[in-house]
Amino acid sequence: MRSADLPEVRAIHLFQSMEEETFDSIVKAAYFQTFPDHVDLIEEGGPADFLYVVVEGCVELYAKANGRETTMAMVSPVGTFILAAVLKDAAYLMSARTCQRSRILMIPSEDIRAAVEKDKAFSAAIIWELASCYRAVVKEHKSLKLRTAVERLANRLLRYHNDQGGNGTLSLPYDKRTLASLLGMAPENLSRAFNTLKPYGVAVDGSKVRLDDLQALQTLAKPNSLIDDRSM
Amino acid sequence: MRSADLPEVRAIHLFQSMEEETFDSIVKAAYFQTFPDHVDLIEEGGPADFLYVVVEGCVELYAKANGRETTMAMVSPVGTFILAAVLKDAAYLMSARTCQRSRILMIPSEDIRAAVEKDKAFSAAIIWELASCYRAVVKEHKSLKLRTAVERLANRLLRYHNDQGGNGTLSLPYDKRTLASLLGMAPENLSRAFNTLKPYGVAVDGSKVRLDDLQALQTLAKPNSLIDDRSM
DNA sequence: CATTCCACTTGATAAATATCAAGTGGCAAT
DNA sequence: ATTGCCACTTGATATTTATCAAGTGGAATG
């Protein structure tokens, strides 16, 4: 890695508190790579050779079984993926592909495992990250088991709305096909779900959404901090 | 905690490799408690006061939203629950109740967090446990998104069959109501799913199940190690 | 400008799943 | 034994969701 890139890596939360020596061991064989969109990065079942950090762009985690495929999560900057597989030195459970031109930091997984052994501050950061990832999946799982498709969409819109400033408008961060899969529904049903939300003040124009009746939408969505709150 | 109980705690995988000093700090305020079945242990949204370890019996993790309730996971010995909430000092995402008379080890969460800070071997064990829990939820989530109800049941039967020796019979570890909720279906549909599996050699009698045509059941279930394999 | 492509939408239908309402059968208490 | 209870099953039906088959419209291409 070029020394010019080092400060950028150091600024990533996961690597902020580690000792200098550990940091050196991590960046030694690590490198940045920029990928065009729709490029496959890893395939489920493969060995966990690297830990990936999305620095710019966006990465989709997806999985297949039988003949079906589903989006498991979207990773935006600065997020990691397949951390658990790296730590356990186990096969990836999910595949990953870019959904935008993306700048990705790749760190050999042996270096990560060695650093975790050595550096208390780093292992504390790893624990925090892992616990956060765990809770994020639990929330997704709750959402899928406890809500209908329309409710999942409504809550997702409220979340994006909140993330984007809460000024009555939002833009969908991914194409609708991907959003549908992420929310666990067929693309056709996402269209219909948007129609169902029309009476609740949801106006869709391409990737732009206007929320004209937050009150009504919230009444329908019944947001729940133990499912929707990303910060806990 | 009585000193007679200490060896039993030391034998738990999570606590095996830690230093003696850390172990003392962990067991200092920890205690065993035995609960009858169907006792509520924690409620989602509550503060993470303790880390729980199921030593004997069985605990159901469940969650509610709107007016619905679903079983998220079953914890059998020796398993922990709400580790992530303890480490982040955050609210529980799930409730827990015994589903059998159960012996539970309870450790104050501050002691866990302090021990993680101090003890490398313990933090390594925590990381392993967390990563395993994460991957278990991801697998559950994949199962729910990629499989039909009948497929989920078929694969679950194959798993229990395997766990229990693979001699053509198995016994359902929980009542059918709970199993249905765990698999993400209504109790009535579990009954029907068992009927659907009858032509594939699945014979149910109460909680006893006979698998008379493994080949056929596997063809239907299409088990996938990246979903069904607990050991990776 | 016309064409093609692709994402998305809409309609019709099918499949999966849930709900409601009776059952059935085993088991424990009296 | 009788009773009541409870878990589970079964049937009928409703709801939700998926699938298949045309559309539509916008953006890029030539």
Side-chain angles (χ1 to χ4, degrees):
Chain A
M1 173 174 299
R2 302 175 313 170
S3 63
D5 288 333
L6 295 181
E8 186 178 0
V9 179
R10 224 352 169 178
I12 296 170
H13 175 263
L14 202 54
F15 307 121
Q16 261 168 30
S17 51
M18 58 177 27
E19 286 167 33
E20 196 58 35
E21 191 189 331
T22 319
F23 183 71
D24 292 343
S25 74
I26 286 280
V27 294
K28 189 186 51 193
Y31 56 95
F32 280 106
Q33 196 166 346
T34 299
F35 298 93
D37 61 353
H38 297 285
V39 169
D40 286 314
L41 301 174
I42 61 172
E43 196 181 342
E44 60 175 293
D49 296 328
F50 294 93
L51 174 66
Y52 291 76
V53 185
V54 181
V55 177
E56 290 167 34
C58 187
V59 169
E60 176 189 3
L61 303 182
Y62 65 99
K64 294 186 191 190
N66 299 353
R68 288 154 253 179
E69 177 180 316
T70 192
T71 302
M72 296 288 292
M74 305 300 292
V75 186
S76 5
V78 179
T80 62
F81 57 96
I82 50 103
L83 177 56
V86 164
L87 293 167
K88 292 194 76 173
D89 197 10
Y92 296 137
L93 297 180
M94 300 181 275
S95 302
R97 63 186 160 219
T98 57
C99 55
Q100 294 172 22
R101 175 184 166 84
S102 301
R103 188 145 178 271
I104 309 279
L105 173 62
M106 297 168 65
I107 306 162
S109 53
E110 315 93 79
D111 295 341
I112 294 288
R113 288 191 295 268
V116 164
E117 291 286 319
K118 279 197 307 216
D119 192 314
K120 272 185 200 168
F122 184 51
S123 68
I126 288 282
I127 285 174
W128 190 270
E129 174 79 9
L130 259 185
S132 302
C133 290
Y134 171 80
R135 286 167 65 89
V137 193
V138 168
K139 288 170 190 165
E140 275 304 304
H141 200 60
K142 285 174 70 170
S143 177
L144 196 60
K145 287 188 89 172
L146 291 167
R147 287 175 169 162
T148 66
V150 171
E151 288 170 339
R152 292 196 298 276
L153 173 60
N155 281 292
R156 185 60 66 136
L157 292 178
L158 289 171
R159 176 154 126 205
Y160 292 151
H161 178 248
N162 212 47
D163 292 347
Q164 293 172 25
N167 64 350
T169 68
L170 62 97
S171 65
L172 301 174
Y174 334 109
D175 59 26
K176 287 175 183 161
R177 225 184 91 78
T178 306
L179 181 61
S181 182
L182 181 62
L183 293 176
M185 60 182 100
E188 295 94 327
N189 281 344
L190 179 63
S191 275
R192 294 189 178 103
F194 273 123
N195 283 331
T196 305
L197 292 180
K198 214 172 265 174
Y200 299 85
V202 176
V204 185
D205 179 24
S207 70
K208 300 295 169 197
V209 180
R210 240 182 32 248
L211 303 185
D212 293 327
D213 189 349
L214 267 182
Q215 197 88 51
L217 187 59
Q218 273 162 348
T219 303
L220 175 98
K222 292 178 210 64
N224 178 323
S225 67
L226 298 178
I227 299 179
D228 304 294
D229 213 332
R230 295 298 91 186
S231 65
M232 55 175 278
Chain B
M1 173 172 300
R2 302 175 313 170
S3 62
D5 288 332
L6 295 180
E8 186 178 0
V9 179
R10 222 357 166 175
I12 295 169
H13 175 262
L14 202 54
F15 307 121
Q16 261 169 31
S17 51
M18 59 177 25
E19 286 168 32
E20 196 58 35
E21 190 189 332
T22 319
F23 183 71
D24 293 342
S25 75
I26 285 281
V27 294
K28 187 185 52 194
Y31 57 94
F32 279 106
Q33 197 166 346
T34 299
F35 298 93
D37 62 352
H38 296 286
V39 169
D40 286 315
L41 301 174
I42 60 172
E43 196 181 343
E44 60 175 291
D49 295 329
F50 294 93
L51 173 67
Y52 291 76
V53 185
V54 181
V55 176
E56 289 168 35
C58 186
V59 169
E60 176 190 3
L61 304 182
Y62 65 99
K64 294 185 190 191
N66 300 351
R68 287 154 254 180
E69 177 180 317
T70 191
T71 302
M72 296 289 290
M74 305 299 291
V75 187
S76 8
V78 178
T80 61
F81 57 95
I82 50 103
L83 177 57
V86 164
L87 293 168
K88 291 194 76 173
D89 198 10
Y92 295 137
L93 296 180
M94 301 181 274
S95 302
R97 64 186 160 219
T98 57
C99 55
Q100 293 172 23
R101 174 186 167 82
S102 300
R103 188 145 179 273
I104 309 278
L105 172 62
M106 297 168 65
I107 306 162
S109 53
E110 313 95 81
D111 294 341
I112 294 288
R113 288 191 296 269
V116 164
E117 291 285 319
K118 279 196 306 215
D119 192 313
K120 272 184 199 167
F122 184 50
S123 69
I126 288 281
I127 285 174
W128 191 268
E129 175 79 8
L130 258 184
S132 301
C133 289
Y134 171 80
R135 287 167 64 90
V137 194
V138 167
K139 287 170 191 165
E140 275 305 305
H141 200 61
K142 285 174 70 170
S143 177
L144 195 59
K145 288 187 89 172
L146 290 167
R147 286 176 169 161
T148 66
V150 171
E151 288 170 339
R152 293 196 297 277
L153 173 59
N155 281 293
R156 185 61 65 137
L157 292 178
L158 289 171
R159 177 154 127 204
Y160 292 151
H161 178 248
N162 212 48
D163 292 348
Q164 293 172 24
N167 63 353
T169 68
L170 62 97
S171 64
L172 301 174
Y174 334 109
D175 59 26
K176 287 175 183 160
R177 225 185 90 78
T178 307
L179 181 61
S181 181
L182 181 62
L183 293 176
M185 61 182 102
E188 295 95 326
N189 281 344
L190 179 63
S191 276
R192 295 189 179 103
F194 272 123
N195 283 332
T196 305
L197 292 179
K198 215 172 265 175
Y200 299 85
V202 176
V204 185
D205 177 24
S207 70
K208 299 296 169 196
V209 180
R210 240 183 31 248
L211 304 185
D212 293 328
D213 189 349
L214 267 181
Q215 197 87 52
L217 188 59
Q218 272 162 348
T219 304
L220 175 97
K222 292 179 211 66
N224 178 325
S225 66
L226 298 177
I227 299 180
D228 304 293
D229 213 333
R230 296 297 91 188
S231 67
M232 55 174 278

